[in-house]
Amino acid sequence: MSTPKVKILSIDGGGIRGIIPCIILRYIEEHTGQSISSLFDLIAGTSTGGIISVGLTKQESNFQNSFSAAQMLELYVKFGKDIFSDRPRDILSWVSAKLFAKPYDSKDMEALLDRYFGEAKLKDGLSNVLVTTYDIEKGKPFYFSSRLAANDPKENFRLKDVARSTSAAPTYFKPNLLKYDKDNDLAFVDGGVFANNPSILAYSEAKEIWKQRLVKDPALAEADDRGFDAVVTADDNDVPFYLLSLGTGHTVNTIKGAEVKSYRNKDWFEPLMTNVFMRSVAESTHYTMQYLLPDYVDGTPRYQRVNFEIPEAISEMDDASDKNINALVKAAEDFVKKNEALLDKICAVIAG
């Protein structure tokens, strides 16, 4: 089995559904006996995945992890209601909330992030981190990078500000306003508006990390259903990366062509936001990653995507009710039980 020299973890956005990757990562930590930050050279995340990423790399003064995957899971299970205050779930209230309600009050969320991350800074993490956000004033993506933070003080944001910015989903939370330098204020919204699955961005960041390693140590360099599914040729002469991409669950509530004939503009909002935009971006990224990181000739993967179907009833990103949280935990734990062989193979690759 080929051994990767750079191991990358990418975690999707998905609100309260961050429970799902936390449970998968808990399994990996338990079965390797190692922390996620020690298993991966780079951890990238969008939105809820960004919160998990900075949490799993935050360090204590003794160079130990502040949080395990199990402890990050606790953030969602115990404190999900502090992020998403309860809203009525009947159809009339749901429509009203989507069209007329104000965003969630961010004070509780900010207090929770302060409790978890305090004054910890981006450059001090136990592994490289890349977290996405979008600056609405400049109309450009912005990337929180520990690599950049290590060399530029203005890039060295507090982790709680990184977490708040990447998860400022439009219609859910107000933008997060941060000072960048004396001439620039930044207005950040959720990175999921352009990269809910940040795998390609993680790949790009890993290539820069790899180039910098090669400068320091040149010896490392020795080192029929077409259309919707990528058809990729195995290749041993590619970058020695392994990338694990974790989703937060998906549904198969497709939009029927006959139904949209009667749609008005307002009818498109929800399906576009939750079904078309988010899932299509994630799937196109998955398609591309299979070409960027093809398997080795011996079958060892360079890239694996772990995501699974969840019932539509538990797919809401902001449903932090006990019932929904318990259902998400059960769905993820059931997936882990049924896919232990797959997860054990992943553990063998990243712990090798």
Side-chain angles (χ1 to χ4, degrees):
M1 181 173 70
S2 302
T3 302
K5 293 189 172 79
V6 178
K7 291 171 282 188
I8 311 154
L9 173 64
S10 172
I11 311 173
D12 285 13
I16 196 68
R17 289 175 6 216
I19 285 169
I20 291 172
C22 282
I23 287 176
I24 293 171
L25 293 171
R26 181 182 67 181
Y27 181 93
I28 290 173
E29 286 192 334
E30 290 174 349
H31 284 73
T32 61
Q34 299 182 55
S35 67
I36 295 300
S37 66
S38 66
L39 290 168
F40 292 95
D41 301 282
L42 169 66
I43 304 176
T46 288
S47 192
T48 201
I51 295 174
I52 296 168
S53 297
V54 295
L56 292 176
T57 56
K58 180 179 180 291
Q59 67 161 308
E60 296 297 297
S61 56
N62 59 357
F63 301 104
Q64 298 298 310
N65 281 86
S66 296
F67 306 110
S68 65
Q71 289 169 318
M72 290 307 297
L73 172 63
E74 188 177 73
L75 182 151
Y76 292 91
V77 173
K78 284 193 174 181
F79 305 113
K81 287 189 179 69
D82 291 344
I83 301 174
F84 300 108
S85 56
D86 195 25
R87 282 182 177 172
R89 296 282 156 188
D90 62 274
I91 188 63
L92 291 178
S93 298
W94 179 88
V95 171
S96 175
K98 292 294 182 185
L99 297 180
F100 306 113
K102 294 180 180 179
Y104 286 109
D105 187 341
S106 58
K107 290 181 181 177
D108 286 341
M109 180 186 188
E110 289 168 358
L112 179 63
L113 294 176
D114 183 63
R115 190 188 323 167
Y116 266 69
F117 301 124
E119 296 301 307
K121 294 288 192 75
L122 190 57
K123 75 172 185 178
D124 298 321
L126 291 168
S127 182
N128 291 290
V129 181
L130 182 75
V131 175
T132 67
T133 190
Y134 188 87
D135 182 359
I136 55 174
E137 289 195 358
K138 293 182 173 57
K140 292 182 178 181
F142 187 96
Y143 308 104
F144 296 105
S145 164
S146 59
R147 174 178 60 85
L148 297 178
N151 298 302
D152 188 342
K154 69 176 181 292
E155 299 281 350
N156 192 26
F157 293 92
R158 296 180 300 183
L159 296 186
K160 63 184 178 184
D161 292 326
V162 175
R164 172 69 175 86
S165 299
T166 189
S167 57
T171 77
Y172 292 96
F173 295 103
K174 294 178 181 178
N176 193 39
L177 307 180
L178 288 180
K179 175 68 81 175
Y180 184 60
D181 55 32
K182 64 178 183 178
D183 299 318
N184 290 285
D185 292 324
L186 306 174
F188 290 136
V189 298
D190 195 314
V193 300
F194 74 97
N196 202 56
N197 174 352
S199 295
I200 290 178
L201 304 174
Y203 170 84
S204 303
E205 181 73 2
K207 288 200 75 171
E208 187 61 31
I209 292 169
W210 176 240
K211 284 192 293 183
Q212 292 182 2
R213 285 192 187 178
L214 289 179
V215 169
K216 294 178 181 178
D217 186 0
L220 289 171
E222 299 170 0
D224 294 338
D225 186 14
R226 294 294 304 277
F228 294 98
D229 295 318
V231 179
V232 185
T233 303
D235 181 5
D236 278 357
N237 300 309
D238 208 333
V239 287
F241 293 0
Y242 172 77
L243 191 151
L244 174 62
S245 174
L246 297 183
T248 57
H250 65 85
T251 60
V252 291
N253 53 331
T254 54
I255 302 170
K256 302 297 183 183
E259 294 176 1
V260 302
K261 290 181 180 179
S262 60
Y263 271 21
R264 297 186 178 185
N265 288 349
K266 64 178 179 62
D267 299 317
W268 278 104
F269 177 80
E270 179 64 16
L272 284 177
M273 288 296 292
T274 61
N275 193 33
V276 178
F277 290 158
M278 288 181 61
R279 188 169 178 194
S280 63
V281 170
E283 290 301 320
S284 65
T285 298
H286 173 51
Y287 180 93
T288 303
M289 287 309 306
Q290 292 172 84
Y291 284 96
L292 292 176
L293 291 175
D295 289 354
Y296 288 97
V297 172
D298 67 4
T300 304
R302 278 192 179 89
Y303 163 77
Q304 287 179 284
R305 170 82 168 160
V306 178
N307 201 19
F308 62 93
E309 182 183 339
I310 59 175
E312 187 175 355
I314 63 171
S315 65
E316 288 284 342
M317 294 187 294
D318 62 336
D319 185 353
S321 65
D322 291 338
K323 178 181 178 182
N324 195 63
I325 286 174
N326 291 337
L328 283 167
V329 170
K330 184 178 186 307
E333 290 181 341
D334 286 348
F335 173 83
V336 166
K337 283 182 182 178
K338 293 175 183 175
N339 293 274
E340 286 189 1
L342 167 65
L343 296 176
D344 288 346
K345 288 180 181 177
I346 290 172
C347 289
V349 172
I350 59 179

